[in-house]
Each structure stands twice: as C-alpha cells, then as structure tokens.
Amino acid sequence: RGYITPAEFERLGQQAQLEIFERYFEDLNQALRMPENDSEYANRVKTLEEKIQEMEINADLSTISNFDSVHRLGTLVYTINGREIQEVTRHELTLIQKSKLTAPTLAFPVYQLRNNGTVTTLTIYPTTILDTDVEINYIPKPPPPKWDYNIQSLGQFVWTGTSGASVNFSISDQDQTELILTILMYAGVVIRDQSIIQAAASQVAQENANQKT
C-alpha cells in the first residue's frame, strides 16, 4: 500500500518498544558478567541501570490493584521495622509454616506471588501486615504508544492535540534510533517490501553491535 495507518503505527510501535524494553534486562545481565568499566560516560552497566531506573516506581503496596501490570518486581520492605520481605515458593511456604520456629513473623516476613491463570496476586505473611505498611519497588509494563487523532472529511488523519490523550514511548531517549529502525523493519513486513525489511534489520543489528562493543 505504501503507507501505514496510525492504528498500524501504534501496534508496530508497541511491538518495537517491548523488544527494546526487554533487551535492557538481557543486556544488563550480559554486561554484569563482563570486566568492569570505570569510565565515567561509557560504563555499559551504569547506562543500562539508568535506563531501567527511569521506569522504576517506588510506592506502597496498597496502590497496586493489579499485579499483571507489574513487569519486574523489585524489593519489598516492611516500613514499620525496615525489614526486607523475602519471596518464597508455595512449597517453601508450606514447609516454613509447619514449625513455629520458622513460621513468618513481623521480624522475618515473606511473600508469595500466585497466578491462577487469570490474575496474579501477592500475599504477605504474616497476614496481619497491612499493604499500606509495605513499600515496593517495581517496573511496570510500558504502556502502548498512542497517537490521538481524528479522521477528517477527505480521510486524512489529524492529531487532536488533546492534553493527555496521546501516549508517548516509555523507553529511554537514547534508543530513539533503534526504535525508529525497528518500526521501519516491521512496516516493511506490513507493506510487504523486502528492501525495507532488509535495510532496517541490518541497521538494527549494527546499532546493537555498536552498543555492545
């Protein structure tokens, strides 16, 4: 067709954003295994951590109504005594609850994440701990980008300019080039243009290689 609609752009942008977002964690894991770089402005680990920290949220547990929106869960702290709440599996919880010596207490609280196939829930033990007394660090799933528009009489797409109606990309500005190239690569798939796919894919690969070397 030679062009993509705003709705198609939003879907392509969401996919491209998720790919780059997920790669932050993979690249950080890889960078941590490499020899440390003490450079002030070329420290790969520091750069990746800064990108991730831009999206990190610190709040009390009561503000989270749906854990399916939590992409990466960080530290949980019981603010009354400053104790970190440790995660346990269902099997571990069963074992530690069998004895009074190992059962969760206010001094040694634990939590468990469960998914019943529909929704994810987080439960803290002992259950007397209030959600408002728990501080949580987490990274939410990046919201899909949205370009708010109206379709005019001639079929043209016009941005509405309504405050808060559009949603910008959530990843770091440092990855703007890779984001554009990835969207172009998927756009080539949509319009079935192999030359676009190959050119964009080559540029994305080169961009990733430059960042890791």
Side-chain angles (χ1 to χ4, degrees):
R1 298 192 301 264
Y3 74 95
I4 59 174
T5 66
E8 288 173 330
F9 171 78
E10 290 171 0
R11 291 195 294 271
L12 300 182
Q14 181 181 6
Q15 179 63 29
Q17 175 176 254
L18 282 173
E19 284 190 14
I20 297 172
F21 177 70
E22 287 290 351
R23 199 175 299 130
Y24 288 163
F25 306 98
E26 297 172 5
D27 289 349
L28 179 59
N29 183 43
Q30 182 181 14
L32 288 170
R33 298 198 300 267
M34 298 175 66
E36 188 174 355
N37 181 351
D38 295 328
S39 173
E40 179 70 17
Y41 300 108
N43 188 313
R44 181 69 175 154
V45 172
K46 180 182 177 182
T47 300
L48 287 166
E49 288 178 339
E50 287 175 349
K51 290 180 179 181
I52 294 172
Q53 286 171 5
E54 288 180 14
M55 298 173 286
E56 189 174 23
I57 294 177
N58 177 269
D60 69 65
L61 187 58
S62 63
T63 63
I64 303 177
S65 58
N66 181 9
F67 268 89
D68 291 320
S69 64
V70 176
H71 185 70
R72 300 271 176 160
L73 186 59
T75 304
L76 275 72
V77 176
Y78 182 37
T79 57
I80 299 302
N81 58 14
R83 290 283 187 175
E84 182 177 343
I85 305 174
Q86 301 293 327
E87 182 178 11
V88 294
T89 65
R90 183 177 302 184
H91 177 67
E92 290 171 336
L93 181 63
T94 300
L95 292 177
I96 64 176
Q97 286 180 323
K98 287 183 177 180
S99 170
K100 291 183 178 180
L101 293 175
T102 57
T105 64
L106 297 179
F108 298 100
V110 300
Y111 75 90
Q112 184 182 64
L113 278 173
R114 289 188 180 183
N115 186 294
N116 61 8
T118 304
V119 65
T120 300
T121 58
L122 184 147
T123 306
I124 295 177
Y125 301 90
T127 55
T128 53
I129 294 178
L130 302 176
D131 287 353
T132 52
D133 293 329
V134 176
E135 184 179 82
I136 179 173
N137 291 295
Y138 71 97
I139 298 173
K141 293 180 180 177
K146 180 181 179 183
W147 191 69
D148 194 57
Y149 63 92
N150 287 325
I151 301 178
Q152 303 298 303
S153 58
L154 298 178
Q156 70 271 37
F157 303 104
V158 178
W159 180 56
T160 64
T162 304
S163 178
S166 295
V167 179
N168 206 348
F169 290 97
S170 302
I171 58 176
S172 172
D173 292 342
Q174 299 177 52
D175 295 306
Q176 178 177 330
T177 300
E178 184 177 354
L179 177 66
I180 293 171
L181 290 170
T182 305
I183 292 174
L184 285 174
M185 181 178 66
Y186 284 119
V189 175
V190 172
I191 65 175
R192 299 179 176 85
D193 190 324
Q194 287 297 321
S195 62
I196 295 177
I197 298 172
Q198 293 170 3
S202 176
Q203 289 294 325
V204 169
Q206 184 62 49
E207 183 75 14
N208 289 333
N210 290 340
Q211 291 180 358
K212 293 181 180 180
T213 55

